[in-house]
Amino acid sequence: DDISKMVVLGAMFLYIGGYQIGFGPITWIMMGEVFPLAIRGQAVAVAVQVNFLLNALVQFGVPIVEQWLGLAWTFGIFAILAMYSL
């Protein structure tokens, strides 16, 4: 059982490390390039704050939705939203 825990932990580290090397920085690069130079500083600051706010809403909202609908429906909703975003 300890080995399976270590494998899961190692897989998480590998995934997070790979994401940070690959897709992770793309969001921040795009935010810096999408706004005109005259308002770039302020616009990026607002975009980052909105990003963190929405991340916090998801983080605190998932347990509430899970209690209301159950785990399967919660992940189903996120799966549908992920497919819609593509």
Side-chain angles (χ1 to χ4, degrees), residues 5-46:
K5 290 179 184 178
M6 294 304 286
V7 169
V8 169
L9 187 62
M12 282 178 29
F13 283 146
L14 185 64
Y15 171 77
I16 292 169
Y19 184 80
Q20 293 301 321
I21 291 171
F23 290 116
I26 291 174
T27 303
W28 304 105
I29 292 170
M30 290 297 293
M31 270 198 299
E33 296 297 326
V34 98
F35 299 113
L37 189 57
I39 62 163
R40 186 171 293 167
Q42 294 85 4
V44 169
V46 169

Short mmCIF file of all heavy atoms in Angstrom, two decimals, residues 5-46:
data_model
loop_
_atom_site.label_atom_id
_atom_site.label_comp_id
_atom_site.label_asym_id
_atom_site.label_seq_id
_atom_site.Cartn_x
_atom_site.Cartn_y
_atom_site.Cartn_z
N LYS A 5 1.00 4.45 -2.85
CA LYS A 5 0.95 5.87 -2.47
C LYS A 5 2.14 6.63 -3.07
O LYS A 5 1.98 7.75 -3.55
CB LYS A 5 0.93 6.03 -0.96
CG LYS A 5 -0.35 5.58 -0.32
CD LYS A 5 -0.29 5.73 1.18
CE LYS A 5 -1.54 5.20 1.84
NZ LYS A 5 -1.47 5.31 3.30
N MET A 6 3.30 6.01 -3.03
CA MET A 6 4.48 6.66 -3.59
C MET A 6 4.38 6.77 -5.11
O MET A 6 4.83 7.77 -5.69
CB MET A 6 5.74 5.89 -3.19
CG MET A 6 6.02 5.92 -1.70
SD MET A 6 6.15 7.59 -1.03
CE MET A 6 7.72 8.06 -1.65
N VAL A 7 3.80 5.77 -5.76
CA VAL A 7 3.61 5.83 -7.21
C VAL A 7 2.66 6.96 -7.57
O VAL A 7 2.91 7.73 -8.52
CB VAL A 7 3.10 4.47 -7.75
CG1 VAL A 7 2.64 4.59 -9.19
CG2 VAL A 7 4.17 3.41 -7.62
N VAL A 8 1.56 7.10 -6.83
CA VAL A 8 0.61 8.19 -7.09
C VAL A 8 1.28 9.53 -6.87
O VAL A 8 1.13 10.46 -7.67
CB VAL A 8 -0.64 8.04 -6.19
CG1 VAL A 8 -1.50 9.29 -6.25
CG2 VAL A 8 -1.44 6.82 -6.60
N LEU A 9 2.03 9.67 -5.80
CA LEU A 9 2.73 10.93 -5.52
C LEU A 9 3.75 11.24 -6.61
O LEU A 9 3.84 12.37 -7.09
CB LEU A 9 3.41 10.85 -4.15
CG LEU A 9 4.06 12.13 -3.64
CD1 LEU A 9 3.03 13.22 -3.48
CD2 LEU A 9 4.77 11.86 -2.33
N GLY A 10 4.51 10.23 -7.04
CA GLY A 10 5.48 10.43 -8.12
C GLY A 10 4.80 10.82 -9.42
O GLY A 10 5.28 11.67 -10.16
N ALA A 11 3.64 10.19 -9.72
CA ALA A 11 2.90 10.52 -10.94
C ALA A 11 2.39 11.96 -10.88
O ALA A 11 2.41 12.68 -11.89
CB ALA A 11 1.75 9.55 -11.13
N MET A 12 1.94 12.39 -9.70
CA MET A 12 1.49 13.78 -9.56
C MET A 12 2.64 14.75 -9.80
O MET A 12 2.48 15.75 -10.51
CB MET A 12 0.90 14.01 -8.17
CG MET A 12 -0.49 13.48 -8.00
SD MET A 12 -1.22 13.68 -6.36
CE MET A 12 -0.48 15.11 -5.68
N PHE A 13 3.80 14.47 -9.22
CA PHE A 13 4.96 15.34 -9.43
C PHE A 13 5.36 15.37 -10.90
O PHE A 13 5.70 16.43 -11.43
CB PHE A 13 6.14 14.89 -8.58
CG PHE A 13 6.03 15.28 -7.13
CD1 PHE A 13 6.54 14.45 -6.14
CD2 PHE A 13 5.44 16.46 -6.74
CE1 PHE A 13 6.45 14.81 -4.80
CE2 PHE A 13 5.35 16.83 -5.41
CZ PHE A 13 5.86 15.99 -4.45
N LEU A 14 5.32 14.23 -11.55
CA LEU A 14 5.68 14.15 -12.96
C LEU A 14 4.70 14.96 -13.81
O LEU A 14 5.10 15.71 -14.70
CB LEU A 14 5.71 12.70 -13.41
CG LEU A 14 6.19 12.43 -14.83
CD1 LEU A 14 7.66 12.85 -14.97
CD2 LEU A 14 6.04 10.96 -15.15
N TYR A 15 3.40 14.83 -13.53
CA TYR A 15 2.40 15.58 -14.28
C TYR A 15 2.55 17.08 -14.07
O TYR A 15 2.55 17.85 -15.03
CB TYR A 15 0.98 15.14 -13.86
CG TYR A 15 -0.09 16.03 -14.43
CD1 TYR A 15 -0.47 15.91 -15.75
CD2 TYR A 15 -0.68 17.01 -13.65
CE1 TYR A 15 -1.45 16.74 -16.29
CE2 TYR A 15 -1.65 17.84 -14.18
CZ TYR A 15 -2.02 17.70 -15.49
OH TYR A 15 -2.97 18.54 -16.01
N ILE A 16 2.67 17.50 -12.82
CA ILE A 16 2.79 18.93 -12.52
C ILE A 16 4.06 19.50 -13.14
O ILE A 16 4.05 20.58 -13.74
CB ILE A 16 2.74 19.17 -11.00
CG1 ILE A 16 1.33 18.86 -10.48
CG2 ILE A 16 3.12 20.61 -10.66
CD1 ILE A 16 1.24 18.81 -8.97
N GLY A 17 5.16 18.77 -13.02
CA GLY A 17 6.42 19.23 -13.63
C GLY A 17 6.32 19.34 -15.14
O GLY A 17 6.77 20.31 -15.75
N GLY A 18 5.71 18.33 -15.77
CA GLY A 18 5.54 18.37 -17.22
C GLY A 18 4.64 19.50 -17.67
O GLY A 18 4.89 20.15 -18.67
N TYR A 19 3.58 19.74 -16.90
CA TYR A 19 2.67 20.83 -17.24
C TYR A 19 3.38 22.17 -17.13
O TYR A 19 3.19 23.05 -17.98
CB TYR A 19 1.43 20.80 -16.33
CG TYR A 19 0.41 21.84 -16.68
CD1 TYR A 19 -0.47 21.64 -17.72
CD2 TYR A 19 0.34 23.03 -15.97
CE1 TYR A 19 -1.41 22.59 -18.05
CE2 TYR A 19 -0.59 23.99 -16.30
CZ TYR A 19 -1.46 23.76 -17.34
OH TYR A 19 -2.38 24.72 -17.66
N GLN A 20 4.16 22.35 -16.09
CA GLN A 20 4.86 23.62 -15.90
C GLN A 20 5.92 23.86 -16.97
O GLN A 20 6.21 25.00 -17.30
CB GLN A 20 5.50 23.67 -14.51
CG GLN A 20 4.49 23.72 -13.39
CD GLN A 20 3.58 24.93 -13.49
OE1 GLN A 20 3.98 26.01 -13.85
NE2 GLN A 20 2.31 24.72 -13.19
N ILE A 21 6.48 22.81 -17.50
CA ILE A 21 7.46 22.95 -18.58
C ILE A 21 6.77 23.16 -19.92
O ILE A 21 7.25 23.91 -20.77
CB ILE A 21 8.38 21.72 -18.63
CG1 ILE A 21 9.27 21.68 -17.40
CG2 ILE A 21 9.22 21.71 -19.89
CD1 ILE A 21 10.06 20.40 -17.23
N GLY A 22 5.61 22.51 -20.12
CA GLY A 22 4.94 22.54 -21.41
C GLY A 22 3.88 23.61 -21.52
O GLY A 22 4.12 24.73 -21.95
N PHE A 23 2.65 23.27 -21.13
CA PHE A 23 1.50 24.15 -21.34
C PHE A 23 1.35 25.26 -20.31
O PHE A 23 0.70 26.26 -20.58
CB PHE A 23 0.20 23.33 -21.36
CG PHE A 23 0.07 22.46 -22.57
CD1 PHE A 23 0.05 21.08 -22.44
CD2 PHE A 23 -0.04 23.02 -23.82
CE1 PHE A 23 -0.07 20.28 -23.56
CE2 PHE A 23 -0.16 22.22 -24.94
CZ PHE A 23 -0.18 20.84 -24.80
N GLY A 24 1.88 25.10 -19.14
CA GLY A 24 1.68 26.07 -18.06
C GLY A 24 2.02 27.51 -18.41
O GLY A 24 1.22 28.42 -18.18
N PRO A 25 3.19 27.77 -18.98
CA PRO A 25 3.56 29.16 -19.27
C PRO A 25 2.79 29.80 -20.42
O PRO A 25 2.78 31.02 -20.54
CB PRO A 25 5.05 29.07 -19.64
CG PRO A 25 5.52 27.77 -19.13
CD PRO A 25 4.32 26.87 -19.14
N ILE A 26 2.11 29.00 -21.24
CA ILE A 26 1.43 29.56 -22.41
C ILE A 26 0.37 30.58 -21.99
O ILE A 26 0.22 31.63 -22.63
CB ILE A 26 0.82 28.43 -23.26
CG1 ILE A 26 1.95 27.63 -23.90
CG2 ILE A 26 -0.12 28.99 -24.32
CD1 ILE A 26 1.48 26.41 -24.65
N THR A 27 -0.36 30.30 -20.93
CA THR A 27 -1.39 31.23 -20.47
C THR A 27 -0.79 32.59 -20.15
O THR A 27 -1.32 33.63 -20.54
CB THR A 27 -2.08 30.66 -19.22
OG1 THR A 27 -2.62 29.39 -19.53
CG2 THR A 27 -3.16 31.58 -18.72
N TRP A 28 0.32 32.58 -19.44
CA TRP A 28 0.93 33.84 -19.02
C TRP A 28 1.56 34.56 -20.20
O TRP A 28 1.54 35.80 -20.27
CB TRP A 28 1.96 33.58 -17.92
CG TRP A 28 1.32 32.86 -16.78
CD1 TRP A 28 1.47 31.54 -16.46
CD2 TRP A 28 0.40 33.40 -15.83
NE1 TRP A 28 0.69 31.23 -15.38
CE2 TRP A 28 0.04 32.36 -14.97
CE3 TRP A 28 -0.15 34.66 -15.63
CZ2 TRP A 28 -0.86 32.54 -13.92
CZ3 TRP A 28 -1.03 34.84 -14.59
CH2 TRP A 28 -1.37 33.79 -13.74
N ILE A 29 2.09 33.84 -21.15
CA ILE A 29 2.65 34.47 -22.35
C ILE A 29 1.54 35.11 -23.17
O ILE A 29 1.67 36.24 -23.64
CB ILE A 29 3.43 33.44 -23.19
CG1 ILE A 29 4.70 33.00 -22.44
CG2 ILE A 29 3.79 34.00 -24.56
CD1 ILE A 29 5.40 31.82 -23.07
N MET A 30 0.44 34.39 -23.33
CA MET A 30 -0.69 34.93 -24.10
C MET A 30 -1.26 36.19 -23.45
O MET A 30 -1.60 37.14 -24.14
CB MET A 30 -1.78 33.87 -24.25
CG MET A 30 -1.41 32.72 -25.15
SD MET A 30 -1.12 33.23 -26.84
CE MET A 30 -2.75 33.73 -27.31
N MET A 31 -1.38 36.19 -22.13
CA MET A 31 -1.91 37.37 -21.45
C MET A 31 -1.02 38.58 -21.68
O MET A 31 -1.51 39.70 -21.83
CB MET A 31 -2.05 37.12 -19.95
CG MET A 31 -3.38 36.55 -19.58
SD MET A 31 -3.79 36.72 -17.86
CE MET A 31 -2.52 35.81 -17.06
N GLY A 32 0.26 38.37 -21.72
CA GLY A 32 1.18 39.48 -21.94
C GLY A 32 1.16 40.00 -23.36
O GLY A 32 1.52 41.15 -23.61
N GLU A 33 0.75 39.17 -24.31
CA GLU A 33 0.79 39.56 -25.71
C GLU A 33 -0.54 40.02 -26.26
O GLU A 33 -0.60 40.65 -27.31
CB GLU A 33 1.29 38.37 -26.56
CG GLU A 33 2.70 37.94 -26.25
CD GLU A 33 3.72 39.01 -26.56
OE1 GLU A 33 3.53 39.77 -27.53
OE2 GLU A 33 4.72 39.10 -25.82
N VAL A 34 -1.62 39.75 -25.58
CA VAL A 34 -2.94 40.01 -26.14
C VAL A 34 -3.38 41.47 -25.95
O VAL A 34 -4.19 41.96 -26.72
CB VAL A 34 -3.95 39.01 -25.52
CG1 VAL A 34 -4.72 39.58 -24.38
CG2 VAL A 34 -4.89 38.47 -26.56
N PHE A 35 -2.83 42.14 -24.98
CA PHE A 35 -3.26 43.51 -24.68
C PHE A 35 -2.35 44.53 -25.34
O PHE A 35 -1.14 44.31 -25.47
CB PHE A 35 -3.26 43.74 -23.17
CG PHE A 35 -4.20 42.83 -22.43
CD1 PHE A 35 -3.72 41.87 -21.56
CD2 PHE A 35 -5.57 42.94 -22.60
CE1 PHE A 35 -4.59 41.02 -20.90
CE2 PHE A 35 -6.45 42.11 -21.93
CZ PHE A 35 -5.95 41.15 -21.08
N PRO A 36 -2.89 45.69 -25.75
CA PRO A 36 -2.06 46.75 -26.33
C PRO A 36 -1.04 47.27 -25.30
O PRO A 36 -1.29 47.25 -24.09
CB PRO A 36 -3.06 47.85 -26.69
CG PRO A 36 -4.40 47.23 -26.63
CD PRO A 36 -4.30 46.04 -25.74
N LEU A 37 0.06 47.74 -25.79
CA LEU A 37 1.15 48.18 -24.93
C LEU A 37 0.73 49.31 -23.98
O LEU A 37 1.18 49.35 -22.84
CB LEU A 37 2.34 48.63 -25.79
CG LEU A 37 3.65 48.91 -25.06
CD1 LEU A 37 4.10 47.69 -24.26
CD2 LEU A 37 4.72 49.33 -26.04
N ALA A 38 -0.16 50.18 -24.43
CA ALA A 38 -0.55 51.33 -23.61
C ALA A 38 -1.26 50.92 -22.32
O ALA A 38 -1.15 51.61 -21.31
CB ALA A 38 -1.45 52.26 -24.42
N ILE A 39 -1.98 49.81 -22.34
CA ILE A 39 -2.72 49.37 -21.14
C ILE A 39 -2.27 48.00 -20.64
O ILE A 39 -2.93 47.41 -19.78
CB ILE A 39 -4.24 49.33 -21.42
CG1 ILE A 39 -4.56 48.32 -22.51
CG2 ILE A 39 -4.77 50.70 -21.74
CD1 ILE A 39 -6.01 47.92 -22.56
N ARG A 40 -1.18 47.51 -21.15
CA ARG A 40 -0.76 46.13 -20.86
C ARG A 40 -0.60 45.86 -19.37
O ARG A 40 -1.07 44.86 -18.86
CB ARG A 40 0.53 45.80 -21.60
CG ARG A 40 0.92 44.33 -21.44
CD ARG A 40 2.06 43.95 -22.32
NE ARG A 40 1.60 44.01 -23.72
CZ ARG A 40 2.41 43.96 -24.75
NH1 ARG A 40 3.70 43.87 -24.58
NH2 ARG A 40 1.92 44.00 -25.97
N GLY A 41 0.06 46.73 -18.65
CA GLY A 41 0.30 46.50 -17.23
C GLY A 41 -0.98 46.38 -16.43
O GLY A 41 -1.17 45.43 -15.67
N GLN A 42 -1.87 47.33 -16.63
CA GLN A 42 -3.14 47.31 -15.90
C GLN A 42 -4.02 46.14 -16.34
O GLN A 42 -4.67 45.50 -15.51
CB GLN A 42 -3.90 48.63 -16.09
CG GLN A 42 -3.23 49.82 -15.48
CD GLN A 42 -2.19 50.45 -16.41
OE1 GLN A 42 -2.00 50.03 -17.54
NE2 GLN A 42 -1.48 51.44 -15.90
N ALA A 43 -4.05 45.87 -17.64
CA ALA A 43 -4.90 44.80 -18.16
C ALA A 43 -4.42 43.43 -17.67
O ALA A 43 -5.24 42.58 -17.30
CB ALA A 43 -4.93 44.85 -19.68
N VAL A 44 -3.11 43.22 -17.67
CA VAL A 44 -2.58 41.95 -17.17
C VAL A 44 -2.86 41.81 -15.68
O VAL A 44 -3.20 40.72 -15.20
CB VAL A 44 -1.07 41.82 -17.48
CG1 VAL A 44 -0.45 40.65 -16.75
CG2 VAL A 44 -0.86 41.66 -18.98
N ALA A 45 -2.75 42.90 -14.93
CA ALA A 45 -3.05 42.85 -13.50
C ALA A 45 -4.50 42.45 -13.25
O ALA A 45 -4.79 41.60 -12.41
CB ALA A 45 -2.76 44.20 -12.85
N VAL A 46 -5.43 43.02 -14.02
CA VAL A 46 -6.85 42.67 -13.87
C VAL A 46 -7.07 41.22 -14.30
O VAL A 46 -7.80 40.47 -13.63
CB VAL A 46 -7.74 43.64 -14.69
CG1 VAL A 46 -9.17 43.14 -14.75
CG2 VAL A 46 -7.69 45.03 -14.09
#
